[in-house]
Each structure stands twice: as structure tokens, then as C-alpha cells.
Amino acid sequence: AGTQAQTHVVPRSLLVAEEMRSLIVEKGPGPVEDDPDALVKGWLQREVRGGVKTPWIRPRKYWFVLTPDSLDYYSSNEKGARRLGSLVLTSLCSVLWPDRRTYKETGYWSVTVFGRKHCYRLFTEHLNEAVHWVCAVQKVIDSKAPVQTPTQLLMRDVEEHCGSPEVLEQIYRCNPILRYTSSPLYAPLLPFPYGSLDQSAPGPRSYTTLRDEAVKLFNSLQQLESERDPVPLMQGVLQTCLDLPPLVDEIYCQLVKQTTEPPAPGGQGDLHYWQLLTCMSCTFLPSPPVLRFLRFHLDRTESRFPTSEMAKYACFIREALGKTKGRECVPSLEEILVLMRRQEMICTVHCPGAPACSVAISSHTTAEEVAQELVSRLGLSQSPNLFALYEQSRRREQPVGSATLLADVLTSLAGEEREQDPPCRLCFKHYGFLDTDNVPRDSLEFALLFEQAHEMVLRGYVPTSEETLQTLAALRLQSLNSDFSTHAPFPRLEELFPPHVLHARLPAPRRRPPTKCRGARLRAGLLAGGLWGQALAKQRAERDQRLRGRLREEGASTMAAIVEKWKLLQGMGRPEAMAAYVALVREWPGFGSTLFDVDLRAVRPRRGRGRGWGAALTSQVQGSCPSTPPCSRGCPGLTRPLPSAPQVDEIAQLLNTYLASTGARRPQEPAASPPASDPPALPQGLCPTAGPWQHRPPAGSFPS
């Protein structure tokens, strides 16, 4: 048996230098004959040196013959003409379709064929001829059997003889390509197509061919051995794999190679390879053949070094591979540091009305898992309402998908923190309101409900009068600072009162009618860019300063009115103030809805766009647009709300979640929730006599 195994292994024993070279031997020059196997023949112009930079420099014309094995070109089409070159076609060759941009620049349609050593750039004046050549060459390439590299053949041998330790040791001993090397790599370990078909990748980075990038990545891996801070280099390798997914298997094979029989097992350079392999296992999942080879390598390392750091990394990687499903972002620098220590990350989630919670997460933790843990930790398991995590910033707020990896969310938030003040953060909030009437006032859920209602007011999602908004601001102050005191801390006005109401009081800037005469527009542009430009800029600065002064005056008067209403709440406790606040907001029929910003586009001509909001009423399973802009009142069908594509997906997910929750819960009365009592009566003079939703809304808001 040993003799048979040895005779099977020896033909596969390839030196490193042999793998660097191609197994393809190209044809040499020879006399042309009438080849009955010729598929396509014709005159084409070939770029000999440089490129076709100008239309008046013509490439040289040659006679091309396409056979089932190669693309040859001759000096002429006469019998006995000399063959000038040949490009052998394999499954790794590639061909590019004609490019319209090249045609506009040169007047020729281009056909580019990539081989191992050569690249033929061919040109013709006719598009149909170029397409005919491309289709014929691609058909020949598709007919070829897939080329397998020596590494792939050896991976198959390892899998076949995994139960024979002696044979495996002989395979590793006779094939240096499977073991660590300090020499550079001149060709990738796995087959990649010749040419630059997959070089375009999203992002600011620019890449060359996949083969060149694979060789560059191996050089980067070798730099890890001597790097004091390998984290940025690791992140760069991970980013390249994210941009070019075909390189994921290649990097796995290179890391397995460099961690197999290294000169100093467990040394700093060897551990850097294992740490990058750990980050790869938490970010990308290899193909099944490479995954089997990787798992064999992990088992082999654990059996040879059972108590070493390498064995601990191998155990961690095996567990990670069973959970990894793919990432949208590469790990951040902080996550890479945590993975290098095989630890968990600490995620901070802010809860409105409650202290922030710290949750330990891994690279595979989803938002739904964290939300469920917070529901259990905060004692909200018996609540009929739904909860979720939100990405919150000053500009936007959106729920995090239940299957979204929280590590990707933290990475994206870390990138936005550098650009925004205050920084973005994760919040735990209500996701779907199923029952807002029976929430106990002394519970944490009521505090969450109160904070969410206040956010709706500040964002302008509650259409009501300014006097009611001032009453709500006074109740907010009472809940924060109790009774009025000159020494009490005053929040900023934008934290108590909707800012858009103050801006609506300012006079709208007067717009000049558009100039119809082209000459008048030209003269106006010249004046604006000449001496009058400085005067116009000075006028704009003075106008902006006046508007800011007017805004400060309006803010001061509004704050004074809020303080006067606050003084009338003397003796009201914090729970009563919160209950009164929620009771006022709950009187709006749309309370409990999930609101989305939409564009109101006019159907009739000569109508502009407006910005409004729509709502998906989760408690009634219906969509509603509770308002129409002032220009379309009384004109049914004039406008329609147009949510964006992400909003449509979010609305669909919200409805699916509601339907799933209502199907899982049986309709029954809440057992432990006491009946909601009437809200405390507000002092006389604090609110108007009529109901808060019966007043005419301010400019920019809509009636219910």
C-alpha cells in the first residue's frame, strides 16, 4: 500500500519554480497551410506598440485565423505566408467586447483578447465584424476544460489521503508549494482569468488584474511578520477581499501555506498570520473545497500543537466558520484588535428614559439577538409592543434590520462619527405599537413611550398649535427639573420646542422672477461675477445676520412663554407630568403610527414638489397619508406620496413583523397591567379651551 501511495504522489510532486510557470506551451512560427479546422478568418488591425492614441495613426493590418486551440496571425492571406504570432486559448483566457468610447476616440471598434503572456488588441471599422470575432473567441474559450493549478491538485490529494498520516507527510515533504516560504510568489495559487475583467471594484481604490492583485497580497502577507502594528495592514487585506470577492479563496490558501511548518511556530510572525486568518474567518466564508482544506489544516495544527496559541486560534476559527455568513463591511480597527485577542466587543445601546446598556457581542451577533437580550434585561418580556434597535443621528433615524450584523452597524457608525456632531449612536426603542393604552405609568416602557413621543414632537411629526407645543415643552421641563426654579438647568430650546416652527415665522426670501432674455441673463452673470459680486455678498451676509437676530428674538419670546406655563405646573410630580405629556400627544389620531418622510410630487404641470410625511399605521395594518400640501387642498388626486426604495422595504418589513406578531399572540386582555387612569388635569390657563387638535396648525404642518 505504501508503494502504491508513493507512486501516486511522486508525479504530483512539483517544485515551487515549476508551479510559477504555466503548463501551456505556445506554438512557434511556421508556414501557413490551409487549415480545415479554422473557425474564423479575416483581416484585422492589431495594435503593435503603445495604443491607438490618435485617430490618424492606423495600426498594422494582419491576417487572423481562429482555430479550436489558438488565435494566429500572419503577414498575408496567401499560401506560404509567415506566421507572426500565436495566442493559445485556454479556459483562463478572456475577451473584451467592443467599447463605444474607443470607437469615439479612434474610429475603430476594438476586440481585446487576453492570454498568459500576450494581449492582442485588435481593431476593425465594422461593429458586426467585431461582435462576430468576440463571440467566436468566447465560444472557443468556453469549450476548454477548466485549468487546475498544482495547488488545487494537491488539495484534492490531501483530502483523499486524510486518513493516512504517512502519505500526508510525504505529500507535504515533497511539495514545497504547500509549506511556508520566505520567497516571493510569482503566480497565484488558484486559477484566475487573464486580463482585467474583474478589476473594477467599488470604492476609491483602483485595482489591476486579479492575478496581479493575488501576488501583491502575498507580498503584503509577508510584511506582517515584521510589522509592529499589523492592524492597518490586516484591514487593507480584508478590504481588498471585500472589493474583489474572487480573491477570498486565494488569501485563505496563502494563509494556510504560510502557517504550515513555519520556521518559528508560535512566534510573532506566525501568530500574525493566525490573527489575520481569525479575522478572515469572521468576515468571509470560503468555497467548499477551500473550506474542507482549511478545516483539515486546523485539525492538523491542533493535533501537532495541542496546548499552543496556534491551537487556540484554530479552535476559535473553526467555531467562527460555523457562524459566518458574510459581511457588508470589513471589521473596524477596534474589532480587529478584539479578534486578535479572541475576545468579545462591548456595544453601548442608549435607552431613552433609562441608563445606557452595555452588551457583549461577537462578529456574528445580530440586531435581533441584542434587542431580545435588552427586552429580557429591562423587564419588557410581557409587553405586547415590539422593540428594535435604531441608528440615530441628528439628520436621520432608521431601524436596524433584525438579521443585520451589529458589527457592521458599529463599523458604519464609527465612520459617520468623524463627520457628525453629536456622533451617531444605537438606540433601543419601540418598533411597533400594538397597545399604548394599557402601559403602566410606573414602568420603564412608559418612560420609553414618553421619550419617543417627545422625539415625534421635536421632529414635527405631531401637527398641533403653537400653544399646545408650548404646553408640551413646559411639561417636559417639569418632568426634567420638577418645579420652577431660577437655579434649575435649562435645556436648549431645540430640545424642548420644534425648531421648524420658529423658522416658519421668519419671512420667506423674495425670489426674483427668472430672466427670459438670454442677453439679460448674460449681463446679470457678468455683473454678479464682477464688481457687483462683493456688494451682493455683503447684502446676503447682512440679510442672514438680520434673520439670525430675528430667530433669536423669536426663540427668546417662545422660551419666555414656555417658562410662564412651567410656573403653572407647581406641585406636579414627574410621573404626572409624563402622563399629561403622553395624554396630550395621544389625542392626535395618528399617535402610535410609524412615520416616514415622503416627497409630494405634483401630477399636474407647473407644480413643484413639497415635502410631507406619511405613516404606516401598524396597529390598524393600513397605510395612510394624513395630509396634503396647501397647494393641493380641495383637489383630490393632485398629489401622491412617493417614498424612497429603502422606505418601501422598511414599510414592508414593518407590516410583516406586525402580522407575524399578531399571529403569534392570541387576543387577550393584559393580565398584569392595571387599567390606565385618566391623566392629571392641567391647571386652568395652561391649555386653550378647545381641544389641542382643533386649532389651525402653523405653517408647514398639516391637519389630521
Side-chain angles (χ1 to χ4, degrees):
T3 305
Q4 294 178 358
Q6 184 175 2
T7 58
H8 179 73
V9 172
V10 170
R12 299 282 177 86
S13 303
L14 303 174
L15 299 177
V16 177
E18 294 179 0
E19 185 172 4
M20 306 305 177
R21 306 187 187 97
S22 173
L23 301 178
I24 302 173
V25 179
E26 295 192 356
K27 299 179 181 179
V32 64
E33 300 287 347
D34 289 337
D35 190 356
D37 296 333
L39 302 177
V40 182
K41 300 179 182 179
W43 290 100
L44 292 175
Q45 302 186 53
R46 184 193 172 197
E47 170 190 314
V48 181
R49 294 181 181 178
V52 183
K53 301 180 180 179
T54 52
W56 55 85
I57 298 181
R58 293 176 176 270
R60 297 186 60 181
K61 182 180 291 187
Y62 299 97
W63 179 257
F64 280 83
V65 178
L66 176 65
T67 67
D69 297 317
S70 63
L71 178 63
D72 309 326
Y73 70 99
Y74 300 84
S75 57
S76 67
N77 61 343
E78 299 178 356
K79 188 174 182 178
R82 187 166 58 94
R83 183 171 57 202
L84 303 178
S86 178
L87 191 150
V88 179
L89 297 176
T90 66
S91 61
L92 300 182
C93 295
S94 59
V95 57
L96 292 183
W97 280 76
D99 185 11
R100 183 174 296 274
R101 178 180 178 183
T102 304
Y103 176 75
K104 291 182 178 180
E105 294 177 355
T106 64
Y108 292 92
W109 296 100
S110 63
V111 177
T112 306
V113 184
F114 294 97
R116 184 178 68 89
K117 291 183 178 180
H118 306 290
C119 173
Y120 286 179
R121 302 184 185 277
L122 313 176
F123 301 91
T124 178
E125 297 179 354
H126 306 288
L127 176 61
N128 55 351
E129 185 178 6
V131 172
H132 179 64
W133 276 97
V134 169
C135 295
V137 173
Q138 186 64 52
K139 186 176 181 179
V140 173
I141 294 174
D142 295 339
S143 65
K144 298 300 180 181
V147 174
Q148 289 188 329
T149 63
T151 300
Q152 289 179 305
L153 299 176
L154 291 172
M155 287 169 54
R156 188 169 59 188
D157 287 346
V158 169
E159 184 177 358
E160 292 176 354
H161 299 86
C162 60
S164 303
E166 297 179 358
V167 177
L168 288 176
E169 292 301 325
Q170 186 179 3
I171 293 176
Y172 279 97
R173 184 174 63 255
C174 297
N175 295 277
I177 196 62
L178 294 177
R179 305 195 305 266
Y180 171 90
T181 179
S182 58
S183 303
L185 198 67
Y186 297 100
L189 302 179
L190 300 179
F192 291 105
Y194 308 123
S196 54
L197 288 178
D198 298 329
Q199 68 177 348
S200 59
R205 292 190 173 194
S206 59
Y207 296 98
T208 57
T209 65
L210 291 176
R211 300 176 62 86
D212 293 342
E213 292 298 331
V215 174
K216 291 179 182 178
L217 284 177
F218 188 80
N219 296 334
S220 300
L221 296 186
Q222 291 181 323
Q223 296 178 12
L224 285 176
E225 300 182 29
S226 57
E227 284 288 335
R228 293 185 178 181
D229 183 16
V231 177
L233 188 56
M234 290 182 181
Q235 191 181 44
V237 173
L238 296 173
Q239 184 64 52
T240 303
C241 292
L242 182 66
D243 295 340
L244 302 176
L247 292 179
V248 171
D249 285 350
E250 174 72 19
I251 298 303
Y252 269 114
C253 292
Q254 292 181 5
L255 289 174
V256 170
K257 170 184 172 64
Q258 292 301 96
T259 52
T260 300
E261 301 182 11
Q268 179 181 359
D270 186 38
L271 290 183
H272 284 175
Y273 285 129
W274 281 102
Q275 290 164 356
L276 178 56
L277 192 57
T278 301
C279 297
M280 288 285 296
S281 66
C282 295
T283 311
F284 308 105
L285 192 64
S287 62
V290 178
L291 180 59
R292 292 192 297 267
F293 182 60
L294 174 60
R295 286 176 173 169
F296 169 79
H297 174 65
L298 300 178
D299 295 338
R300 186 170 182 264
T301 302
E302 286 186 285
S303 62
R304 298 184 65 183
F305 309 97
T307 59
S308 64
E309 283 291 314
M310 300 178 294
K312 296 178 182 178
Y313 278 113
C315 181
F316 185 90
I317 292 170
R318 183 185 296 103
E319 295 179 359
L321 289 173
K323 303 176 183 178
T324 300
K325 296 181 180 179
R327 298 278 297 270
E328 296 181 358
C329 313
V330 297
S332 60
L333 299 179
E334 294 77 10
E335 184 180 355
I336 293 177
L337 289 173
V338 171
L339 291 176
M340 292 171 63
R341 298 190 292 265
R342 304 187 301 274
Q343 297 176 351
E344 292 183 331
M345 296 179 289
I346 302 298
C347 173
T348 301
V349 181
H350 298 267
C351 302
C357 299
S358 298
V359 184
I361 64 171
S362 66
S363 301
H364 317 286
T365 305
T366 62
E368 184 179 8
E369 295 173 353
V370 175
Q372 291 177 354
E373 180 178 349
L374 291 177
V375 167
S376 177
R377 185 187 300 184
L378 299 176
L380 302 173
S381 302
Q382 301 301 324
S383 173
N385 298 314
L386 307 177
F387 300 89
L389 298 182
Y390 283 76
E391 297 181 46
Q392 190 179 71
S393 65
R394 177 178 295 181
R395 299 178 182 176
R396 63 181 177 87
E397 178 184 87
Q398 62 181 10
V400 181
S402 58
T404 303
L405 296 179
L406 213 57
D408 287 340
V409 177
L410 295 179
T411 301
S412 61
L413 291 180
E416 296 180 4
E417 283 182 358
R418 307 184 186 97
E419 305 175 358
Q420 298 189 15
D421 184 30
C424 303
R425 63 180 188 176
L426 276 177
C427 291
F428 176 76
K429 299 173 54 179
H430 283 91
Y431 180 64
F433 294 101
L434 301 179
D435 185 6
T436 60
D437 298 330
N438 298 299
V439 178
R441 295 179 183 173
D442 56 347
S443 63
L444 177 61
E445 184 179 2
F446 191 83
L448 294 175
L449 186 64
F450 167 70
E451 295 293 337
Q452 200 153 344
H454 182 59
E455 290 181 3
M456 292 174 59
V457 172
L458 294 184
R459 292 176 182 269
Y461 287 164
V462 180
T464 183
S465 63
E466 293 189 20
E467 190 169 358
T468 303
L469 293 176
Q470 294 173 4
T471 301
L472 293 173
L475 290 171
R476 175 71 174 180
L477 283 174
Q478 186 71 15
S479 66
L480 294 176
N481 303 325
S482 187
D483 293 341
F484 170 78
S485 173
T486 55
H487 302 287
F490 278 78
R492 295 180 301 177
L493 181 60
E494 55 265 24
E495 298 177 2
L496 300 172
F497 194 81
H500 73 277
V501 177
L502 297 179
H503 288 277
R505 299 179 185 175
L506 301 180
R510 290 180 297 179
R511 296 182 180 180
R512 296 182 178 180
T515 306
K516 298 182 180 180
C517 179
R518 183 176 180 181
R521 288 199 302 268
L522 179 60
R523 289 191 298 271
L526 293 176
L527 290 176
L531 298 178
W532 290 98
Q534 299 179 357
L536 293 176
K538 184 177 180 180
Q539 291 179 3
R540 295 194 195 97
E542 293 176 353
R543 183 189 61 191
D544 294 341
Q545 186 175 3
R546 289 195 301 269
L547 291 177
R548 286 193 295 268
R550 176 70 180 277
L551 188 61
R552 285 193 296 266
E553 294 176 0
E554 295 291 342
S557 62
T558 302
M559 194 65 181
I562 293 174
V563 171
E564 292 299 324
K565 293 181 180 296
W566 183 21
K567 294 178 181 179
L568 300 177
L569 300 176
Q570 187 78 17
M572 179 179 289
R574 183 174 185 272
E576 289 78 11
M578 295 171 57
Y581 192 105
V582 174
L584 279 178
V585 179
R586 186 183 281 131
E587 292 183 12
W588 175 48
F591 178 74
S593 305
T594 302
L595 305 176
F596 302 89
D597 290 327
V598 297
D599 286 336
L600 298 177
R601 300 186 181 182
V603 178
R604 295 181 182 178
R606 298 184 181 180
R607 293 285 188 178
R609 290 186 183 181
R611 181 180 177 274
W613 44 265
L617 299 181
T618 60
S619 60
Q620 302 177 13
V621 200
Q622 66 179 4
S624 67
C625 180
S627 60
T628 54
C631 64
S632 64
R633 290 173 186 167
C635 302
L638 180 61
T639 62
R640 61 181 184 272
L642 296 177
S644 60
Q647 289 176 335
V648 172
D649 297 337
E650 186 177 341
I651 292 173
Q653 182 180 1
L654 185 64
L655 291 176
N656 291 333
T657 304
Y658 170 74
L659 293 175
S661 62
T662 54
R665 300 174 184 266
R666 293 182 178 180
Q668 58 181 2
E669 295 296 331
S673 301
S677 59
D678 296 334
L682 297 178
Q684 187 177 4
L686 188 61
C687 279
T689 306
W693 314 113
Q694 298 175 5
H695 290 268
R696 184 175 182 180
S701 62
F702 306 115
S704 59

